[in-house]
Amino acid sequence: MTIIDAVLGDFFWRALLGGLGVALVAGPLGCFVVWRRMAYFGDTLAHSALLGIALSFLISVPLNLGVVITCVLIALALVLLSRTRTLATDTLLGILAHSALAIGLVALSFMPDVRVDLTGLLFGDLLAMTRQDLVWIYGGAAFVLTLLALLWRGLLMSTIHEELARVEGIPVERLRLALMLMFSLVIAVAMKIVGVLLITALLIIPAATARRLAHNPEHMTALAVVFGVMAVSGGLTLSWYLDTPAGPSVVVTAFLVFLMVYAGARQSRH
Amino acid sequence: MTEPLVRLEQVTVAFDDRPVVDRVNLTVSRGDIVTIIGPNGAGKTTLIKTVLGIQRATSGRLSVAPGLVIGYVPQHLTLEPTLPLSVRRFMLLSGRALSDCKAALERTGVAHLLDASVHHLSGGEKQRLLLARALARKPDLLVLDEPAQGVDINGQATLYDLIRQLRDELNCGIIMISHDLHLVMAATDRVICLNQHVCCSGYPEDISRDPAFVETFGHQVAESLAVYHHHHNHRHNLHGDVVSSADAHEGCSHDHH
């Protein structure tokens, strides 16, 4: 008990524990972002998280809940709008991503009695991790990982060949929605660590690093978790000792790992 | 006659009020090989997507035998380069047992590639993998969208032969789209020439003389087909060797002059 209390009482360890929880889900979901070319989509959802925070203050609901709901709504809007095909998907994503971010910032500025640490929200804050956040992170991670495990074959199959998956009776549309729900959850929990602007990096970079060494999808997922854990623990340590912002430090570490793995893989080929 | 596997009655598929498939009637029973030919943009792919249940018909009736298992061989397998995938894993994603997957790969002649990466397969190998994937499901109906794409000319004949043999082994129905007119004519029971509507349909021999066919494909094609049939008395296996025509023409109603 005393050890647990000592660990949870220390905000660095709380942040690290939280970060590891995030890395656990960011790995497999990041793989899907890379496989399905959803990087820009992930960015849009992450940016709309700020709008979610503003809305949470406005109607006074818990922040995490507000963010999840806003992300899910934006995701649904994206799916519906992309069906009309009046605008190219990347244009649509660009409009929604930046509008959501801007509306969130404007809305927050209208609430002078609400004191939020904007830099913390945008770039992550090592000091902000509470015990309650940890419950959210591990609860969310357990939910997402369970869902992923249950839906794994269908998700993978509809990623490989959507039509083939449909013919084989896989509910492609429902799985797409489930994936978006999972994204929204991960964004809500990852926001604290890396900030809304850098969440996509935490999803993509470990997955891309893992691709270099993996020979099947599950292997890639596991490696992405390992690289995510390295990025989070390395980055937070860096942030702790050098007093650098948490989110950017995690992303810089992830990027360094990426460079090393690619350089190493190139060497070993010769 | 057995119960039809699929029956299309006056099926129309329209995009923005423009019919892409226009009042098509089509029935496929066990043992049938139906080939859909037609110029680009004729609605061939849309038609088979309707059969597959991926595309909703705007009007008309589509009835499918209860519990029908469809094996689908799509035109391409374009894999994201970021997604590592072995042949074994791809086959197992069908949800079938490894032994079934291995048997299917064996049947299409790519069993030796079990542990290869799908990214490293040639066009022909990918087609055979997709065919094996469909076979592992033990389909009642096999639907193929240009199965011989990216396969060299000798391989094409072998592939169509294989498809015909599979029909006999599985006693399944087959619908395929093809551009390889010569090979299609030899391997098919029934040809449907589609140009939004069914412009003509029937047995290969008759159809190449059909005025509507000649109009769609031109005299040259129609005549070359006629000539081809006179000389078509042997086949090639995968290595280009001539194999006996006796078994190659089994069940085929060719009129050799």
Side-chain angles (χ1 to χ4, degrees):
Chain A
M1 278 305 280
T2 47
I3 296 176
I4 295 174
D5 264 341
V7 167
L8 291 181
D10 184 303
F11 57 79
F12 174 74
W13 285 106
R14 274 205 306 270
L16 193 60
L17 268 179
L20 296 181
V22 168
L24 219 54
V25 275
L29 272 187
C31 288
F32 278 107
V33 174
V34 168
W35 294 336
R36 298 171 80 123
R37 303 194 175 199
M38 294 171 82
Y40 211 4
F41 177 84
D43 248 358
T44 306
L45 284 193
H47 287 185
S48 58
L50 203 68
L51 178 63
I53 288 171
L55 289 176
S56 312
F57 280 121
L58 203 65
I59 54 173
S60 41
V61 292
L63 285 191
N64 289 321
L65 192 65
V67 168
V68 172
I69 291 173
T70 312
C71 288
V72 168
L73 289 179
I74 293 274
L76 290 178
L78 273 173
V79 172
L80 291 178
L81 284 173
S82 63
R83 278 190 192 150
T84 62
R85 291 164 200 250
T86 39
L87 285 174
T89 309
D90 62 331
T91 309
L92 195 63
L93 287 172
I95 292 171
L96 277 178
H98 299 109
S99 303
L101 186 68
I103 294 171
L105 288 170
V106 169
L108 282 176
S109 75
F110 272 123
M111 294 180 250
D113 45 327
V114 172
R115 284 204 55 230
V116 284
D117 172 19
L118 207 52
T119 321
L121 288 175
L122 293 178
F123 299 110
D125 188 354
L126 187 63
L127 309 177
M129 185 70 61
T130 64
R131 288 185 190 215
Q132 210 192 339
D133 287 328
L134 283 182
V135 174
W136 257 96
I137 289 178
Y138 280 90
F143 177 73
V144 169
L145 288 179
T146 311
L147 206 55
L148 266 180
L150 289 175
L151 305 178
W152 185 257
R153 188 177 79 88
L155 277 172
L156 198 55
M157 200 48 227
S158 52
T159 303
I160 292 170
H161 202 295
E162 199 179 298
E163 289 183 344
L164 196 54
R166 269 177 215 258
V167 173
E168 293 183 359
I170 291 164
V172 173
E173 287 302 323
R174 259 182 283 164
L175 286 174
R176 196 195 309 280
L177 288 178
L179 197 59
M180 283 176 182
L181 176 72
M182 290 190 271
F183 270 132
S184 306
L185 266 172
V186 168
I187 285 163
V189 298
M191 195 176 62
K192 281 270 177 161
I193 301 281
V194 286
V196 295
L197 291 184
L198 296 172
I199 287 173
T200 323
L202 189 60
L203 289 169
I204 291 177
I205 300 176
T209 313
R211 172 63 184 109
R212 199 82 184 100
L213 304 173
H215 38 256
N216 68 48
E218 293 76 15
H219 188 210
M220 179 162 157
T221 312
L223 282 175
V225 171
V226 171
F227 290 131
V229 165
M230 284 168 74
V232 166
S233 45
L236 292 184
T237 309
L238 195 72
S239 167
W240 177 246
Y241 284 106
L242 302 178
D243 196 22
T244 50
S249 309
V250 169
V251 175
V252 166
T253 315
F255 181 59
L256 288 177
V257 174
F258 170 82
L259 287 181
M260 282 191 289
V261 166
Y262 270 67
R266 182 150 297 181
Q267 289 263 293
S268 67
R269 273 185 158 189
H270 291 300
Chain B
M1 276 303 283
T2 50
E3 189 89 338
L5 297 169
V6 176
R7 185 200 293 274
L8 273 67
E9 288 165 275
Q10 295 288 307
V11 164
T12 299
V13 181
F15 297 129
D16 301 327
D17 293 331
R18 191 175 55 88
V20 175
V21 170
D22 194 8
R23 284 164 293 160
V24 170
N25 294 312
L26 172 66
T27 306
V28 184
S29 304
R30 284 190 186 278
D32 284 353
I33 299 185
V34 177
T35 300
I36 303 167
I37 59 174
N40 285 332
K44 302 186 294 291
T45 299
T46 309
L47 179 63
I48 65 161
K49 280 185 179 171
T50 312
V51 172
L52 290 169
I54 304 174
Q55 176 67 52
R56 190 187 285 271
T58 315
S59 67
R61 243 171 72 84
L62 166 73
S63 34
V64 171
L68 180 80
V69 176
I70 300 182
Y72 172 43
V73 180
Q75 201 169 356
H76 298 290
L77 177 61
T78 27
L79 206 55
E80 270 301 311
T82 52
L83 179 60
L85 194 67
S86 66
V87 168
R88 176 196 297 268
R89 197 73 191 78
F90 179 62
M91 289 299 289
L92 285 174
L93 276 173
S94 66
R96 297 299 194 259
L98 183 62
S99 55
D100 290 344
C101 295
K102 278 183 175 164
L105 288 170
E106 193 79 52
R107 192 65 196 86
T108 60
V110 284
H112 58 289
L113 297 171
L114 187 63
D115 288 306
S117 159
V118 176
H119 293 279
H120 297 155
L121 302 187
S122 72
E125 286 166 343
K126 270 190 191 165
Q127 287 310 117
R128 283 166 179 272
L129 170 60
L130 284 170
L131 188 56
R133 176 70 210 256
L135 287 186
R137 289 167 52 77
K138 301 197 166 50
D140 306 308
L141 178 67
L142 200 53
V143 179
L144 308 102
D145 192 349
E146 296 193 38
Q149 273 224 335
V151 180
D152 66 66
I153 189 79
N154 288 332
Q156 285 177 7
T158 322
L159 191 64
Y160 284 114
D161 250 5
L162 175 62
I163 290 170
R164 227 156 32 101
Q165 289 166 20
L166 290 174
R167 182 265 317 258
D168 298 338
E169 284 165 26
L170 295 167
N171 187 28
C172 62
I174 294 180
I175 304 177
M176 60 180 169
I177 293 180
S178 182
H179 276 305
D180 313 302
L181 289 176
H182 294 101
L183 296 161
V184 166
M185 294 298 186
T188 307
D189 299 341
R190 200 142 45 95
V191 175
I192 289 182
C193 171
L194 193 72
N195 198 356
Q196 271 90 57
H197 62 283
V198 176
C199 82
C200 54
S201 72
Y203 296 97
E205 282 296 296
D206 307 328
I207 207 168
S208 56
R209 299 195 191 102
D210 191 298
F213 178 88
V214 177
E215 195 184 313
T216 310
F217 286 98
H219 278 288
Q220 274 190 327
V221 172
E223 272 165 29
S224 77
L225 283 175
V227 171
Y228 183 80
H229 280 291
H230 290 281
H231 295 284
H232 183 75
N233 60 3
H234 66 267
R235 305 199 140 256
H236 302 272
N237 64 17
L238 194 59
H239 309 287
D241 302 322
V242 172
V243 292
S244 91
S245 63
D247 55 74
H249 276 257
E250 196 178 15
C252 192
S253 61
H254 277 302
D255 180 18
H256 288 276
H257 302 289

